[in-house]
Amino acid sequence: MNYISTRGEAPPASFVEAVIAGLAPDGGLYVPQEWPKLSHAEIAAFAGRPYAEVAAKVIGRFAGDSIDSVVLAEMCEEAYASFSHTAVAPLKQLSPGGFMLELFHGPTLAFKDVALQLLARLYDHSLARRNRRLTIVCATSGDTGGAAVEAFRGRRNARIIVLFPEGRISDVQRRFMTTADDGNVACLSVKGDFDDCQAIVKAMFQDTQFARAVDLSGVNSINFARIAAQSVYYFTAAVALGAPHRKVAFATPTGNFGDAYSGYVAHRMGLPIERIVVATNANDILARALSSGLYARGEAVATSSPAMDIQAASNFERLYFETSGRDALETGRAFAAFAARGVIDIPPKALTAMRGLFVGAAVGEADTARSILVTRNQTGEIVDPHTAVGLAAAARVGPADPRTPMVTLSTAHPAKFPETVREATGIEPEAPLNVAHLATRPERFETIGADVDAAKDYVRRFARG
Ligand SMILES: *Cc1c(COP(=O)(O)O)cnc(C)c1O
């Protein structure tokens, strides 16, 4: 199984090579050369099996022979043993046809753990075999940093440095990063916003001499291993509701389009998904693109669901590539134009193909707060603001056939966003044990200005030490 770039100018790579590289060298994103298929019988056989076992089967189809299947099964076993719920991703019924898939039972209480717990183990295994040690640099608006620190801390073959915007993430989010006392973890509080952090990281990658000197690597959501790992819970949820003998619809809270695209991947592998509702907050670039055909960057605004405050959804390039008939030349042209001018006119054929599976819905701040309250009143469940966006979108759009079950992905634990939940319901969400004891652990981080050279200096020293 080889991986090719959406821009067509990178040599094919194995799964392990694509995972370690993250981004393809031509600036495109890696996708499998052909889609692996699971038969009706193979999907049906997932019913009632442990999550880690289904994960090893699904991800194994993407890894091909680049990872031994026994080793992969062990990695999945270990990765998902770190979750506090034995089902890993339990499905809860909220209404006769409405369900919620809880993806927040990992160590940092957001769905990012599902992919990063596995990704860190894939890195460790592959780097040990190659005798390499990488320096991972990660800019975070909140959840990815904590999940990455938790996944990579204490690992021999990688060190990790996270950059977060000073004062712009919640206390819980910060403490997930800064209380790790492992020697291979460093946290930088940047006097600036998330865009400053991301610009610093981008500049590090663009300085190829620096990147080579510290063996730089990234773990953001363009990494195909994260996508493969996230496609697994679409299978477990759908099979629990009667797939493949019946279709299932999903509503996915969306920022970078990684999680929603993972549903597309499951669909391409043979899972009968009726529809995926792309649920955005006020940063509605994807909802607008699906309704108007114009993928146009807007001004990013701060909302109560900060992990989705994104106006350029990296993984959209993968969908564009597929729906334009895998035309790498056209995809490269379109996304170069987007980088320069912030607009892509989606060709009619591609738009029709996108609309065959995806429907967009944008949910504003008032509706998000109302969704938290209504869910609490109608079901007794307390949900976080990202999940609330998904539930509101699912309620507005619904499945195409009213008999099709609709599963909303619940992407964070409410205790990660206590202020928003308290404002909407008057209730303080109960913090799980691992959050409660974070408050008493000492924090460790350095503060720097929004300055590329200061950050590079720090990374150089850290990589040497
Ligand atoms: C990252 C994140 C999202 C958005 O996921 P994408 O893959 O970027 O679309 C939604 N909710 C939460 C809580 C997140 O951390």
PDB file of all heavy atoms in Angstrom, residues 110-112 143-144 221 230 253-260 307-308 310 315 384 386 411-412 417, ligand 1:
ATOM      1  N   ALA A 110     -10.311  14.939  25.079  1.00  0.00           N
ATOM      2  CA  ALA A 110     -10.814  15.382  23.776  1.00  0.00           C
ATOM      3  C   ALA A 110     -10.520  14.284  22.747  1.00  0.00           C
ATOM      4  O   ALA A 110      -9.660  13.433  22.981  1.00  0.00           O
ATOM      5  CB  ALA A 110     -10.173  16.702  23.352  1.00  0.00           C
ATOM      6  N   PHE A 111     -11.226  14.326  21.621  1.00  0.00           N
ATOM      7  CA  PHE A 111     -11.102  13.224  20.656  1.00  0.00           C
ATOM      8  C   PHE A 111      -9.710  13.139  20.040  1.00  0.00           C
ATOM      9  O   PHE A 111      -9.356  12.122  19.456  1.00  0.00           O
ATOM     10  CB  PHE A 111     -12.186  13.340  19.573  1.00  0.00           C
ATOM     11  CG  PHE A 111     -11.783  14.114  18.355  1.00  0.00           C
ATOM     12  CD1 PHE A 111     -11.361  13.460  17.215  1.00  0.00           C
ATOM     13  CD2 PHE A 111     -11.818  15.498  18.348  1.00  0.00           C
ATOM     14  CE1 PHE A 111     -10.980  14.166  16.084  1.00  0.00           C
ATOM     15  CE2 PHE A 111     -11.437  16.219  17.218  1.00  0.00           C
ATOM     16  CZ  PHE A 111     -11.013  15.550  16.092  1.00  0.00           C
ATOM     17  N   LYS A 112      -8.890  14.185  20.174  1.00  0.00           N
ATOM     18  CA  LYS A 112      -7.527  14.154  19.639  1.00  0.00           C
ATOM     19  C   LYS A 112      -6.723  12.974  20.202  1.00  0.00           C
ATOM     20  O   LYS A 112      -5.819  12.465  19.554  1.00  0.00           O
ATOM     21  CB  LYS A 112      -6.785  15.455  19.962  1.00  0.00           C
ATOM     22  CG  LYS A 112      -7.466  16.735  19.500  1.00  0.00           C
ATOM     23  CD  LYS A 112      -7.354  16.944  18.012  1.00  0.00           C
ATOM     24  CE  LYS A 112      -7.646  18.364  17.567  1.00  0.00           C
ATOM     25  NZ  LYS A 112      -9.029  18.804  17.746  1.00  0.00           N
ATOM     26  N   ASP A 143      -6.431  21.909  22.352  1.00  0.00           N
ATOM     27  CA  ASP A 143      -6.552  20.471  22.602  1.00  0.00           C
ATOM     28  C   ASP A 143      -5.416  19.621  22.034  1.00  0.00           C
ATOM     29  O   ASP A 143      -4.994  18.649  22.649  1.00  0.00           O
ATOM     30  CB  ASP A 143      -7.883  19.949  22.038  1.00  0.00           C
ATOM     31  CG  ASP A 143      -9.066  20.404  22.880  1.00  0.00           C
ATOM     32  OD1 ASP A 143      -8.865  20.652  24.081  1.00  0.00           O
ATOM     33  OD2 ASP A 143     -10.176  20.503  22.335  1.00  0.00           O
ATOM     34  N   THR A 144      -4.905  19.973  20.857  1.00  0.00           N
ATOM     35  CA  THR A 144      -3.876  19.130  20.245  1.00  0.00           C
ATOM     36  C   THR A 144      -2.612  19.096  21.097  1.00  0.00           C
ATOM     37  O   THR A 144      -1.994  18.036  21.254  1.00  0.00           O
ATOM     38  CB  THR A 144      -3.537  19.627  18.821  1.00  0.00           C
ATOM     39  OG1 THR A 144      -4.736  19.635  18.067  1.00  0.00           O
ATOM     40  CG2 THR A 144      -2.532  18.735  18.153  1.00  0.00           C
ATOM     41  N   SER A 221      -3.151  17.708  12.018  1.00  0.00           N
ATOM     42  CA  SER A 221      -4.176  16.768  11.540  1.00  0.00           C
ATOM     43  C   SER A 221      -4.042  16.424  10.066  1.00  0.00           C
ATOM     44  O   SER A 221      -4.863  15.686   9.534  1.00  0.00           O
ATOM     45  CB  SER A 221      -5.570  17.291  11.847  1.00  0.00           C
ATOM     46  OG  SER A 221      -5.917  18.313  10.949  1.00  0.00           O
ATOM     47  N   GLN A 230      -8.951   7.761  13.123  1.00  0.00           N
ATOM     48  CA  GLN A 230     -10.269   8.343  13.387  1.00  0.00           C
ATOM     49  C   GLN A 230     -11.378   7.686  12.560  1.00  0.00           C
ATOM     50  O   GLN A 230     -12.555   7.846  12.880  1.00  0.00           O
ATOM     51  CB  GLN A 230     -10.230   9.852  13.115  1.00  0.00           C
ATOM     52  CG  GLN A 230      -9.449  10.593  14.180  1.00  0.00           C
ATOM     53  CD  GLN A 230      -9.093  12.026  13.804  1.00  0.00           C
ATOM     54  OE1 GLN A 230      -8.325  12.651  14.519  1.00  0.00           O
ATOM     55  NE2 GLN A 230      -9.614  12.549  12.714  1.00  0.00           N
ATOM     56  N   PRO A 253     -18.683  17.731  14.404  1.00  0.00           N
ATOM     57  CA  PRO A 253     -18.191  19.085  14.667  1.00  0.00           C
ATOM     58  C   PRO A 253     -16.851  19.273  13.961  1.00  0.00           C
ATOM     59  O   PRO A 253     -15.962  18.431  14.085  1.00  0.00           O
ATOM     60  CB  PRO A 253     -17.999  19.116  16.190  1.00  0.00           C
ATOM     61  CG  PRO A 253     -18.796  17.960  16.716  1.00  0.00           C
ATOM     62  CD  PRO A 253     -18.790  16.928  15.639  1.00  0.00           C
ATOM     63  N   THR A 254     -16.722  20.360  13.193  1.00  0.00           N
ATOM     64  CA  THR A 254     -15.623  20.457  12.235  1.00  0.00           C
ATOM     65  C   THR A 254     -14.809  21.737  12.356  1.00  0.00           C
ATOM     66  O   THR A 254     -15.366  22.824  12.502  1.00  0.00           O
ATOM     67  CB  THR A 254     -16.210  20.401  10.805  1.00  0.00           C
ATOM     68  OG1 THR A 254     -16.949  19.193  10.680  1.00  0.00           O
ATOM     69  CG2 THR A 254     -15.114  20.425   9.762  1.00  0.00           C
ATOM     70  N   GLY A 255     -13.473  21.585  12.281  1.00  0.00           N
ATOM     71  CA  GLY A 255     -12.569  22.731  12.207  1.00  0.00           C
ATOM     72  C   GLY A 255     -11.662  22.569  11.008  1.00  0.00           C
ATOM     73  O   GLY A 255     -11.840  23.184   9.971  1.00  0.00           O
ATOM     74  N   ASN A 256     -10.666  21.676  11.135  1.00  0.00           N
ATOM     75  CA  ASN A 256      -9.719  21.404  10.066  1.00  0.00           C
ATOM     76  C   ASN A 256     -10.204  20.334   9.090  1.00  0.00           C
ATOM     77  O   ASN A 256      -9.456  19.899   8.229  1.00  0.00           O
ATOM     78  CB  ASN A 256      -8.388  20.967  10.680  1.00  0.00           C
ATOM     79  CG  ASN A 256      -7.265  21.900  10.290  1.00  0.00           C
ATOM     80  OD1 ASN A 256      -7.315  22.517   9.231  1.00  0.00           O
ATOM     81  ND2 ASN A 256      -6.255  21.991  11.120  1.00  0.00           N
ATOM     82  N   PHE A 257     -11.430  19.848   9.256  1.00  0.00           N
ATOM     83  CA  PHE A 257     -12.051  18.843   8.396  1.00  0.00           C
ATOM     84  C   PHE A 257     -11.394  17.460   8.512  1.00  0.00           C
ATOM     85  O   PHE A 257     -11.632  16.579   7.694  1.00  0.00           O
ATOM     86  CB  PHE A 257     -12.053  19.297   6.921  1.00  0.00           C
ATOM     87  CG  PHE A 257     -13.055  18.582   6.054  1.00  0.00           C
ATOM     88  CD1 PHE A 257     -14.406  18.668   6.316  1.00  0.00           C
ATOM     89  CD2 PHE A 257     -12.647  17.809   4.980  1.00  0.00           C
ATOM     90  CE1 PHE A 257     -15.333  18.001   5.526  1.00  0.00           C
ATOM     91  CE2 PHE A 257     -13.566  17.131   4.174  1.00  0.00           C
ATOM     92  CZ  PHE A 257     -14.908  17.233   4.442  1.00  0.00           C
ATOM     93  N   GLY A 258     -10.566  17.244   9.563  1.00  0.00           N
ATOM     94  CA  GLY A 258      -9.922  15.950   9.725  1.00  0.00           C
ATOM     95  C   GLY A 258     -10.910  14.874  10.138  1.00  0.00           C
ATOM     96  O   GLY A 258     -10.942  13.772   9.579  1.00  0.00           O
ATOM     97  N   ASP A 259     -11.736  15.206  11.123  1.00  0.00           N
ATOM     98  CA  ASP A 259     -12.672  14.225  11.663  1.00  0.00           C
ATOM     99  C   ASP A 259     -13.762  13.895  10.635  1.00  0.00           C
ATOM    100  O   ASP A 259     -14.105  12.728  10.432  1.00  0.00           O
ATOM    101  CB  ASP A 259     -13.287  14.802  12.949  1.00  0.00           C
ATOM    102  CG  ASP A 259     -13.728  13.721  13.912  1.00  0.00           C
ATOM    103  OD1 ASP A 259     -13.545  12.532  13.597  1.00  0.00           O
ATOM    104  OD2 ASP A 259     -14.254  14.081  14.979  1.00  0.00           O
ATOM    105  N   ALA A 260     -14.293  14.897   9.960  1.00  0.00           N
ATOM    106  CA  ALA A 260     -15.331  14.664   8.950  1.00  0.00           C
ATOM    107  C   ALA A 260     -14.757  13.876   7.766  1.00  0.00           C
ATOM    108  O   ALA A 260     -15.402  12.960   7.240  1.00  0.00           O
ATOM    109  CB  ALA A 260     -15.910  15.996   8.476  1.00  0.00           C
ATOM    110  N   ALA A 307     -11.751  25.115  19.331  1.00  0.00           N
ATOM    111  CA  ALA A 307     -11.029  24.147  18.496  1.00  0.00           C
ATOM    112  C   ALA A 307     -11.542  24.174  17.056  1.00  0.00           C
ATOM    113  O   ALA A 307     -10.939  23.579  16.165  1.00  0.00           O
ATOM    114  CB  ALA A 307     -11.156  22.745  19.077  1.00  0.00           C
ATOM    115  N   MET A 308     -12.651  24.864  16.825  1.00  0.00           N
ATOM    116  CA  MET A 308     -13.221  24.932  15.480  1.00  0.00           C
ATOM    117  C   MET A 308     -13.152  26.344  14.900  1.00  0.00           C
ATOM    118  O   MET A 308     -13.775  26.637  13.884  1.00  0.00           O
ATOM    119  CB  MET A 308     -14.670  24.431  15.503  1.00  0.00           C
ATOM    120  CG  MET A 308     -14.695  23.025  16.046  1.00  0.00           C
ATOM    121  SD  MET A 308     -16.252  22.179  16.282  1.00  0.00           S
ATOM    122  CE  MET A 308     -17.506  23.275  15.873  1.00  0.00           C
ATOM    123  N   ILE A 310     -11.466  28.010  12.805  1.00  0.00           N
ATOM    124  CA  ILE A 310     -10.497  27.835  11.724  1.00  0.00           C
ATOM    125  C   ILE A 310     -11.153  28.268  10.421  1.00  0.00           C
ATOM    126  O   ILE A 310     -12.315  27.953  10.174  1.00  0.00           O
ATOM    127  CB  ILE A 310     -10.060  26.350  11.656  1.00  0.00           C
ATOM    128  CG1 ILE A 310      -9.231  26.009  12.896  1.00  0.00           C
ATOM    129  CG2 ILE A 310      -9.284  26.051  10.378  1.00  0.00           C
ATOM    130  CD1 ILE A 310      -8.861  24.556  13.013  1.00  0.00           C
ATOM    131  N   ASN A 315      -7.615  19.598   5.581  1.00  0.00           N
ATOM    132  CA  ASN A 315      -7.986  18.313   4.994  1.00  0.00           C
ATOM    133  C   ASN A 315      -8.985  18.418   3.844  1.00  0.00           C
ATOM    134  O   ASN A 315      -9.236  17.435   3.163  1.00  0.00           O
ATOM    135  CB  ASN A 315      -8.543  17.383   6.075  1.00  0.00           C
ATOM    136  CG  ASN A 315      -7.431  16.754   6.871  1.00  0.00           C
ATOM    137  OD1 ASN A 315      -6.730  15.884   6.374  1.00  0.00           O
ATOM    138  ND2 ASN A 315      -7.234  17.218   8.092  1.00  0.00           N
ATOM    139  N   ASP A 384     -20.271  19.446  25.944  1.00  0.00           N
ATOM    140  CA  ASP A 384     -19.344  20.570  25.758  1.00  0.00           C
ATOM    141  C   ASP A 384     -19.803  21.395  24.542  1.00  0.00           C
ATOM    142  O   ASP A 384     -20.625  20.923  23.743  1.00  0.00           O
ATOM    143  CB  ASP A 384     -17.916  20.038  25.576  1.00  0.00           C
ATOM    144  CG  ASP A 384     -17.517  19.974  24.121  1.00  0.00           C
ATOM    145  OD1 ASP A 384     -18.050  19.100  23.400  1.00  0.00           O
ATOM    146  OD2 ASP A 384     -16.739  20.832  23.682  1.00  0.00           O
ATOM    147  N   HIS A 386     -18.431  22.140  21.656  1.00  0.00           N
ATOM    148  CA  HIS A 386     -18.172  21.579  20.324  1.00  0.00           C
ATOM    149  C   HIS A 386     -19.232  20.515  19.981  1.00  0.00           C
ATOM    150  O   HIS A 386     -19.781  20.488  18.881  1.00  0.00           O
ATOM    151  CB  HIS A 386     -16.773  20.957  20.258  1.00  0.00           C
ATOM    152  CG  HIS A 386     -15.674  21.916  20.600  1.00  0.00           C
ATOM    153  ND1 HIS A 386     -15.368  22.236  21.894  1.00  0.00           N
ATOM    154  CD2 HIS A 386     -14.826  22.634  19.823  1.00  0.00           C
ATOM    155  CE1 HIS A 386     -14.376  23.102  21.902  1.00  0.00           C
ATOM    156  NE2 HIS A 386     -14.031  23.366  20.655  1.00  0.00           N
ATOM    157  N   THR A 411     -16.943  15.490  20.860  1.00  0.00           N
ATOM    158  CA  THR A 411     -15.490  15.583  20.683  1.00  0.00           C
ATOM    159  C   THR A 411     -14.724  16.033  21.919  1.00  0.00           C
ATOM    160  O   THR A 411     -13.500  15.944  21.933  1.00  0.00           O
ATOM    161  CB  THR A 411     -15.154  16.529  19.502  1.00  0.00           C
ATOM    162  OG1 THR A 411     -15.859  17.758  19.696  1.00  0.00           O
ATOM    163  CG2 THR A 411     -15.562  15.921  18.180  1.00  0.00           C
ATOM    164  N   ALA A 412     -15.402  16.536  22.947  1.00  0.00           N
ATOM    165  CA  ALA A 412     -14.674  16.931  24.167  1.00  0.00           C
ATOM    166  C   ALA A 412     -15.550  16.708  25.391  1.00  0.00           C
ATOM    167  O   ALA A 412     -16.790  16.738  25.317  1.00  0.00           O
ATOM    168  CB  ALA A 412     -14.228  18.384  24.101  1.00  0.00           C
ATOM    169  N   PHE A 417     -14.456  22.703  29.264  1.00  0.00           N
ATOM    170  CA  PHE A 417     -14.987  24.040  28.966  1.00  0.00           C
ATOM    171  C   PHE A 417     -16.022  24.430  30.018  1.00  0.00           C
ATOM    172  O   PHE A 417     -17.196  24.670  29.686  1.00  0.00           O
ATOM    173  CB  PHE A 417     -15.574  24.064  27.547  1.00  0.00           C
ATOM    174  CG  PHE A 417     -14.557  23.691  26.514  1.00  0.00           C
ATOM    175  CD1 PHE A 417     -14.428  22.373  26.075  1.00  0.00           C
ATOM    176  CD2 PHE A 417     -13.673  24.639  26.010  1.00  0.00           C
ATOM    177  CE1 PHE A 417     -13.450  22.017  25.161  1.00  0.00           C
ATOM    178  CE2 PHE A 417     -12.698  24.290  25.085  1.00  0.00           C
ATOM    179  CZ  PHE A 417     -12.584  22.972  24.660  1.00  0.00           C
TER     180      PHE A 417
HETATM  181  C1  LIG B   1      -9.972  19.511  17.015  1.00  0.00           C
HETATM  182  C2  LIG B   1     -11.348  19.540  17.532  1.00  0.00           C
HETATM  183  C3  LIG B   1     -12.471  19.596  16.668  1.00  0.00           C
HETATM  184  C4  LIG B   1     -12.348  19.740  15.166  1.00  0.00           C
HETATM  185  O1  LIG B   1     -11.804  18.603  14.549  1.00  0.00           O
HETATM  186  P1  LIG B   1     -11.213  18.705  13.059  1.00  0.00           P
HETATM  187  O2  LIG B   1     -10.645  17.366  12.783  1.00  0.00           O
HETATM  188  O3  LIG B   1     -10.174  19.791  13.100  1.00  0.00           O
HETATM  189  O4  LIG B   1     -12.328  19.055  12.149  1.00  0.00           O
HETATM  190  C5  LIG B   1     -13.736  19.553  17.233  1.00  0.00           C
HETATM  191  N1  LIG B   1     -13.906  19.487  18.580  1.00  0.00           N
HETATM  192  C6  LIG B   1     -12.862  19.436  19.425  1.00  0.00           C
HETATM  193  C7  LIG B   1     -13.135  19.388  20.897  1.00  0.00           C
HETATM  194  C8  LIG B   1     -11.552  19.454  18.952  1.00  0.00           C
HETATM  195  O5  LIG B   1     -10.514  19.422  19.823  1.00  0.00           O
END
